[in-house]
Amino acid sequence: MSIPHDDEIKQLEQELRQPLSQMITNPISSQQTAVLIHALQPAFDGLREAGEEERFSLRQAPPVKRPSLLRLIHSQLSSYSRVYWVASLLIFGMLMLLLPTNEYVPYTSVGQTFTFVLPALLLASLAYSFRSWNKEMRMIESITPYPPALLLIVRTMIVIGLNLVFGIVGSIYMNMQVRAFPLLPFMLQWLSILLLVSGVTAYVLMWKGFKAAFACSAFLWLIWNGVDQRYLASGELSNSNDAHIIYISALFAGAALLMLAYKKSFGRRLLP
C-alpha cells in the first residue's frame, strides 16, 4: 500500500473539518443543568406524590386474616360424599334397632356392644377418609395455607366427632328407653376406648403415617374388647373402682394423645 502525500493529507483535513466541527459541542454549564432540573421538577413531584399515596394505602389496608380452622373443617366436611354420611347413619340406625330395651337389660352388656361397634366404625371411617390420600393429593394440599399434617388431623377429628355424636345419641336413647339406666357409667365404658383409639391413631399418624396408625389402633381395639369382655365387664369387677379407674385413665390418655397430635400437626411436613 502506498503512503499518502502531504497534499492528499491536507485535502482530507479540509474535507473533514466542517463535519467534525458540527459534532463538537460545548461543555454543559451548571446553568443549563439547573434549567433542565427545573423543567423535570413537575414529573418528580408527581412520582413522589404517587409513592406517598401507595405507602399510605398500604398502612391503611386491613391486616391479612390468618387461615381459619373452622373454614378448614367446613371444607373438609364438604369433601365427604353423601354416600359416606348415609352409610354411617344407616349403620348407627341398625345398631339402635338391635339394642335390647327391656327393663332388666344390664348396662355393661350394652356397653360392650358400643365398645365394639363405635371404634370399629371409627376405623372404617378413617380407612374411607384416607383412601384417596395419594401422592398427587398430597402435592395439591401442600400449596394450601394450612400445614399439610393439620389436614390429616382435621380429617381424623371429623371422624372422631361423628362417632362421639353417635355414642351420645345412643346413650340418651338407652337412658330414655330403659328404666333406671346408669347413663354416666355407661358413657364412661364406651367413651374411654373410643378416645384411646382416637388418640393413638392421631399420635401415631403424626410419626409413622396412616398405615401404622391404623394397625396400632386396630390391635388396641381387639385387645381392649377381649380384656373388657373377660374381666372388666364381668361379675363384681364391673362395678368395682378398679374398672372405673381403668376407664378414666384410658379416657385421659386418649385426650392427651389427641392434644399432642394436634400440636404436632402445625408446621409438620407431609408423611411418606
Side-chain angles (χ1 to χ4, degrees), residues 36-49:
L36 178 62
I37 293 175
H38 179 73
L40 295 176
Q41 192 62 45
F44 293 154
D45 294 338
L47 291 175
R48 185 176 63 252
E49 292 176 0

Side-chain angles (χ1 to χ4, degrees), residues 161-212:
L162 176 63
N163 286 273
L164 282 175
V165 170
F166 284 163
I168 293 173
V169 172
S171 301
I172 296 174
Y173 171 79
M174 292 300 300
N175 188 50
M176 295 174 60
Q177 294 294 325
V178 180
R179 183 180 302 177
F181 188 81
L183 181 62
L184 293 181
F186 171 73
M187 292 187 63
L188 182 62
Q189 185 177 355
W190 64 261
L191 187 59
S192 58
I193 178 59
L194 183 62
L195 279 186
L196 184 59
V197 169
S198 302
V200 170
T201 301
Y203 190 77
V204 177
L205 180 65
M206 290 295 97
W207 291 99
K208 297 296 182 180
F210 174 70
K211 293 181 179 179

Side-chain angles (χ1 to χ4, degrees), residues 45-195:
D45 294 338
L47 291 175
R48 185 176 63 252
E49 292 176 0
E52 291 177 354
E53 291 178 358
E54 183 177 359
R55 288 194 296 270
F56 179 77
S57 62
L58 291 176
R59 288 195 300 267
Q60 296 297 324
V64 179
K65 295 182 179 180
R66 296 182 62 184
S68 172
L69 184 61
L70 293 177
R71 187 177 301 174
L72 173 60
I73 294 175
H74 181 267
S75 65
Q76 292 300 306
L77 281 172
S78 61
S79 65
Y80 289 83
S81 64
R82 294 182 179 179
V83 176
Y84 169 77
W85 300 111
V86 173
S88 300
L89 290 174
L90 288 176
I91 294 173
F92 179 70
M94 292 173 61
L95 173 63
M96 292 295 98
L97 294 176
L98 294 175
L99 290 177
T101 56
N102 58 73
E103 188 174 351
Y104 303 102
V105 58
Y107 81 91
T108 53
S109 63
V110 182
Q112 284 183 345
T113 303
F114 271 59
T115 57
F116 183 84
V117 174
L118 289 181
L121 184 59
L122 171 69
L123 294 174
S125 299
L126 287 174
Y128 174 85
S129 178
F130 291 99
R131 78 193 194 286
S132 61
W133 195 68
N134 50 23
K135 182 179 180 181
E136 290 76 14
M137 183 61 73
R138 292 199 299 267
M139 292 176 61
I140 294 174
E141 292 179 347
S142 64
I143 63 175
T144 63
Y146 305 96
L150 181 61
L151 297 174
L152 307 184
I153 290 297
V154 167
R155 290 183 180 182
T156 306
M157 294 297 182
I158 290 173
V159 174
I160 295 171
L162 176 63
N163 286 273
L164 282 175
V165 170
F166 284 163
I168 293 173
V169 172
S171 301
I172 296 174
Y173 171 79
M174 292 300 300
N175 188 50
M176 295 174 60
Q177 294 294 325
V178 180
R179 183 180 302 177
F181 188 81
L183 181 62
L184 293 181
F186 171 73
M187 292 187 63
L188 182 62
Q189 185 177 355
W190 64 261
L191 187 59
S192 58
I193 178 59
L194 183 62
L195 279 186

